[in-house]
């Protein structure tokens, strides 16, 4: 069995979905509004309703500023809707405490964002290892997982380097390694190939495909047309709204 499919029984969340057929992700009439001034506002998401099924592979695309990153932040429990409802694994997320939200992110969701969010004072190895340390995974198991993840993204030789000495592409791969080493059931990625050359991008897409084949639900925000050939379904956003086809 691939290393990313194996689960740690002692770390599994005890909650089960309300309905085993419930989508892993369900947004109903979700809007996200940012106040831009005393009488101005920006609707980053506008009445978005969408289901993502368990094990589905979805891309989210649209022009810059259409709400893609906000969508991913809401789905990844990094932000909350201004209105509407969001269910994750059959649970209404507005009922989750801050601690529960953090626990779900740590156990169930792998996040890869454009900002990387790497810790500058830690080595590459330590950055990838950190979420496992928070979980309380044993040192021997942590080392095995991190070594495997770094080998998978081709960064074994850079394990002792710090993020500041890496290129943007290599930092992107560290962020990917950190996300997959936790063996997430849900993988969310914002422009994961944006800082990579074509060869590294193709390798990353192959890795994501393997994770999906292994049972993970994958949602990728991207402008890269290569993803459209790999995913099962395309979701398009325009001015914060879900549309059937990309606008010209």
């Amino acid at each position: 069995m691939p290393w990313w499919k194996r689960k740690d029984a002692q770390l599994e969340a005890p909650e089960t979905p309300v309905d085993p057929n419930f989508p892993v992700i369900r947004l109903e009439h979700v809007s996200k509004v940012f106040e831009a001034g005393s009488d101005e506002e920006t609707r980053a998401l506008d009445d978005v309703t969408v289901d993502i099924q368990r094990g589905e592979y979805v891309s989210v695309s649209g022009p810059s500023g259409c709400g893609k990153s906000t969508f991913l932040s809401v789905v990844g429990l990094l932000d909350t809707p201004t209105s509407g409802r969001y269910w994750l694994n059959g649970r209404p997320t507005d009922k989750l405490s801050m601690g529960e939200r953090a626990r779900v992110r740590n156990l169930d969701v792998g996040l890869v964002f454009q900002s990387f969010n790497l810790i500058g004072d830690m080595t590459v190895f330590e950055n990838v290892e950190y979420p496992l340390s928070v979980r309380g995974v044993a040192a021997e198991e942590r080392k095995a997982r991190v070594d495997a993840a770094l080998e998978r993204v081709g960064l074994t030789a850079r394990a002792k380097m710090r993020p500041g000495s890496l290129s943007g592409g290599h930092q992107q791969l560290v962020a990917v390694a950190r996300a997959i080493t936790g063996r997430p059931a849900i993988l969310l990625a914002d422009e994961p190939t944006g800082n990579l050359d074509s060869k590294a991008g193709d390798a990353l897409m192959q890795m994501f495909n393997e994770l999906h084949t292994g049972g993970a639900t994958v949602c990728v925000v991207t402008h890269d047309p290569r993803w459209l050939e790999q995913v099962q379904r395309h979701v398009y956003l325009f001015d914060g709204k879900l549309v059937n086809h990309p606008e010209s």
Side-chain angles (χ1 to χ4, degrees):
M1 180 181 295
W3 65 269
W4 57 80
K5 284 189 65 178
R6 299 195 303 269
K7 292 288 185 181
D8 300 300
Q10 71 272 24
L11 296 175
E12 293 255 5
E15 299 85 358
T16 56
V18 175
D19 180 343
N21 296 315
F22 208 84
V24 66
I25 292 167
R26 168 166 285 176
L27 277 66
E28 286 191 356
H29 304 293
V30 165
S31 294
K32 180 64 180 180
V33 179
F34 295 99
E35 299 295 333
S38 58
D39 57 352
E40 295 182 11
E41 63 180 29
T42 299
R43 302 186 71 84
L45 295 177
D46 191 357
D47 197 34
V48 172
T49 295
V50 66
D51 287 349
I52 298 178
Q53 304 296 332
R54 300 176 190 283
E56 195 171 11
Y57 198 164
V58 177
S59 70
V60 181
S61 60
S64 297
C66 71
K68 302 185 298 297
S69 294
T70 301
F71 174 86
L72 213 62
S73 291
V74 169
V75 172
L77 297 178
L78 295 174
D79 208 343
T80 56
T82 304
S83 61
R85 301 291 301 277
Y86 170 30
W87 286 263
L88 180 62
N89 277 326
R91 303 180 68 198
T93 59
D94 55 304
K95 303 298 184 183
L96 299 176
S97 67
M98 292 298 291
E100 288 173 323
R101 292 170 71 89
R103 183 170 183 270
V104 169
R105 284 196 302 269
N106 193 28
L107 292 179
D108 297 330
V109 181
L111 299 167
V112 182
F113 286 99
Q114 293 186 69
S115 58
F116 312 139
N117 295 325
L118 303 177
I119 301 173
D121 291 338
M122 289 185 175
T123 65
V124 166
F125 186 98
E126 291 166 342
N127 267 278
V128 177
E129 179 187 38
Y130 181 69
L132 302 180
S133 300
V134 173
R135 289 190 189 189
V137 176
E140 184 177 352
E141 175 69 6
R142 291 201 309 268
K143 185 178 187 306
R145 288 202 204 180
V146 175
D147 285 344
L150 290 178
E151 181 180 4
R152 187 66 184 83
V153 299
L155 291 180
T156 299
R158 293 176 170 82
K160 296 182 179 180
M161 298 175 67
R162 298 190 186 278
S165 63
L166 300 177
S167 67
H170 285 144
Q171 291 185 50
Q172 181 78 77
L173 292 174
V174 175
V176 170
R178 181 180 57 191
I180 66 175
T181 195
R183 303 170 184 163
I186 304 166
L187 180 62
L188 308 175
D190 193 353
E191 298 288 0
T193 56
N195 290 284
L196 304 179
D197 60 31
S198 60
K199 182 178 180 181
D202 288 343
L204 182 64
M205 292 174 65
Q206 177 61 32
M207 184 195 313
F208 276 36
N209 191 53
E210 291 172 5
L211 290 166
H212 169 247
T213 301
T217 302
V218 182
C219 181
V220 179
V221 163
T222 183
H223 286 102
D224 189 335
R226 290 177 298 173
W227 289 98
L228 301 182
E229 302 173 2
Q230 180 163 300
V231 301
Q232 296 171 313
R233 181 161 62 103
H234 318 305
V235 173
Y236 297 101
L237 287 171
F238 187 79
D239 287 346
K241 294 179 179 291
L242 206 63
V243 296
N244 292 327
H245 301 286
E247 298 287 336
S248 57

